[in-house]
Amino acid sequence: MTTASGPDSVIAVTTGTGVGGRLRSPEAETEMTGVLGFGGYVPDRVMTNADWAEVVDTTDEWITTRTGIKERRFAADDEATLDLAAHAAERAMQDAGIGPADIGEIIVATDTPEVYTPDTASFLQHRLGCGNVPAYDLGGSGCAGFVQGLDVARARIAFAPRNVLVVGVELISRLISWKERETCVLFGDGAGAVVLGPDAGHAELLDVVAGTDGSMTGILTLSTGGTRDPFTIETAKSGAHQHLEMNGREVFKQAVTRMSAAVLEVLDRVDRSVADVALVVPHQANKRIIDAVTRRLGVDDGVTFVNVDYFGNTGSASVPLGLWQAREQGRVANGDLVILTAFGAGFHWAAAAIQF
Ligand code: ACO
């Protein structure tokens, strides 16, 4: 189903205010980026550490002490990335009290798309029944993709007011090797979403910071399948297309340094301090990374949100999933300042400040 009225009127505004190279109209600019709705979804199937110990040479003790992960969710055989994304998006729209015709743009952050091309956002636009609005993926941005998406969305809203659906989704279990114990035990599947818009909602997105160090592309990469090293029958036989190369210790170090610094930077930009923060929702890669960031920031353990123990690392879904859960669990009240922070392959990092 494709509806025309709402989104088309948004496109009319967009065209008139400068997207496509024209100058911006000052009247169209807005200072406010509201967070109108939150959504999240994880599949039902639970994969415990004991389950993994039957597949690769590992133990619950090794995984728990090194990562804090006890279990993670894996998609059902008949689920794919779009299904996860659609569930989270529908919950976010419901929370915002809006329908698909009210969505003016869609951004999907994922490294595990529905198909190779076109992007998952195109499938999602159709599945949700949104109008023919701009929709695109932030692909390959690793686990930082969702927070980067918030940065893009708020700029688009400031440029021409519209509601932007931002989704972080991963179905990692289907695309990486189940034979490599160094990486396979770390990940889980899931999706999270928010609707941002120019109106006051449940909260206001105050600011976002983001950065990239491209000299670090080699510390976390799935390099087979692109133009540098195309997918062939040999790669399929060797399993190279599923081999996630990871320098675990370097990733660990970069993650702690970059996430902590990004939090301080975004706080500085909104004129607030660590003492003002009610909740930090960091990317959930590893409990030891989260603990190190907590210590570095000097906040109490209870201020940092953790779900890596039962969801594992859900990539670009982890921050919006955590944010949705924190709100569902009553961990966020009106007046609270919430900080999101993430890192990902690239090497990318980002942080956002949200005022409830
Ligand atoms: N079970 C049992 N043993 C294992 C497993 C496993 N699943 N995986 C690796 N090992 C073994 C290795 O073979 C190695 O054995 P060896 O010493 O005989 O050679 C040993 O464990 C490695 O142990 P450590 O070096 O002590 O492991 P470390 O404490 O560095 O922990 C880990 C490894 C968990 C990967 C850690 O480095 C880490 O968390 N790094 C960050 C990685 C991360 O978060 N990646 C995120 C991915 S994407 C993203 O979120 C952006």
Side-chain angles (χ1 to χ4, degrees):
M1 183 186 75
T2 305
T3 48
S5 54
D8 277 356
S9 62
V10 172
I11 286 177
V13 173
T14 304
T15 310
T17 52
V19 174
R22 291 182 212 168
L23 288 175
R24 282 188 296 183
S25 145
E27 309 87 74
E29 288 186 38
T30 172
E31 293 297 313
M32 148 77 73
T33 307
V35 190
L36 314 184
F38 301 84
Y41 173 78
V42 286
D44 291 335
R45 185 175 155 208
V46 176
M47 180 86 173
T48 65
N49 291 347
D51 293 332
W52 264 124
E54 292 187 7
V55 181
V56 291
D57 181 15
T58 192
T59 59
D60 173 50
E61 196 266 336
W62 193 96
I63 301 172
T64 306
T65 54
R66 296 307 204 290
T67 72
I69 300 167
K70 300 297 287 181
E71 59 186 49
R72 68 290 287 149
R73 299 298 183 90
F74 280 1
D77 292 346
D78 62 353
E79 279 181 313
T81 302
L82 174 63
D83 302 303
L84 275 53
H87 285 307
E90 275 158 2
R91 285 178 176 162
M93 289 194 300
Q94 193 177 18
D95 187 38
I98 63 170
D102 302 310
I103 297 293
E105 189 152 331
I106 300 170
I107 302 174
V108 176
T110 187
D111 275 27
T112 51
E114 179 80 1
V115 299
Y116 197 64
T117 193
D119 51 14
T120 305
S122 299
F123 290 94
L124 188 61
Q125 176 269 338
H126 183 64
R127 169 75 70 87
L128 295 177
C130 298
N132 298 132
V133 299
Y136 45 91
D137 280 10
L138 290 182
S141 47
C143 314
F146 173 81
V147 187
Q148 290 178 318
L150 296 183
D151 201 13
V152 175
R154 75 182 176 123
R156 297 286 287 163
I157 292 164
F159 206 63
R162 71 194 75 181
N163 294 327
V164 182
L165 172 66
V166 187
V167 180
V169 57
E170 304 291 356
L171 204 165
I172 308 179
S173 66
R174 202 165 291 157
L175 294 186
I176 63 160
S177 170
W178 279 45
K179 293 181 180 152
E180 299 174 3
R181 66 178 183 171
E182 292 79 8
T183 47
C184 65
V185 300
L186 304 177
F187 297 101
D189 303 333
V194 296
V195 178
L196 300 183
D199 305 314
H202 301 297
E204 183 179 352
L205 177 63
L206 299 179
D207 214 333
V208 187
V209 297
T212 301
D213 179 357
S215 72
M216 296 269 167
T217 50
I219 66 172
L220 189 56
T221 175
L222 205 165
S223 56
T224 298
T227 55
R228 178 72 58 192
D229 182 14
F231 184 83
T232 62
I233 190 74
E234 284 75 31
T235 44
K237 278 186 192 153
S238 71
H241 62 298
Q242 294 178 322
H243 172 59
L244 183 65
E245 241 171 275
M246 181 176 77
N247 179 339
R249 294 196 170 189
E250 191 56 39
V251 170
F252 195 110
K253 212 165 69 189
Q254 289 293 322
V256 173
T257 312
R258 296 303 192 178
M259 283 205 291
S260 311
V263 170
L264 297 177
E265 191 186 339
V266 80
L267 282 172
D268 189 49
R269 284 177 62 131
V270 299
D271 258 339
R272 307 287 280 276
S273 72
V274 167
D276 299 322
V277 178
L279 189 72
V280 178
V281 183
H283 170 47
Q284 307 283 315
N286 179 315
K287 180 67 165 53
R288 290 192 301 152
I289 292 176
I290 296 170
D291 288 345
V293 170
T294 303
R295 279 197 303 276
R296 202 172 262 227
L297 293 175
V299 295
D300 292 340
D301 281 352
V303 170
T304 314
F305 185 82
V306 179
N307 68 10
V308 70
D309 40 356
Y310 49 101
F311 288 163
N313 180 348
T314 57
S316 62
S318 102
V319 167
L321 194 54
L323 186 58
W324 171 71
Q325 261 199 315
R327 198 160 156 266
E328 292 284 302
Q329 293 170 0
R331 297 270 306 269
V332 184
N334 274 344
D336 281 354
L337 177 67
V338 175
I339 303 293
L340 316 179
T341 184
F343 68 95
F347 203 85
H348 300 296
W349 57 90
I354 298 180
Q355 180 68 59
F356 280 79

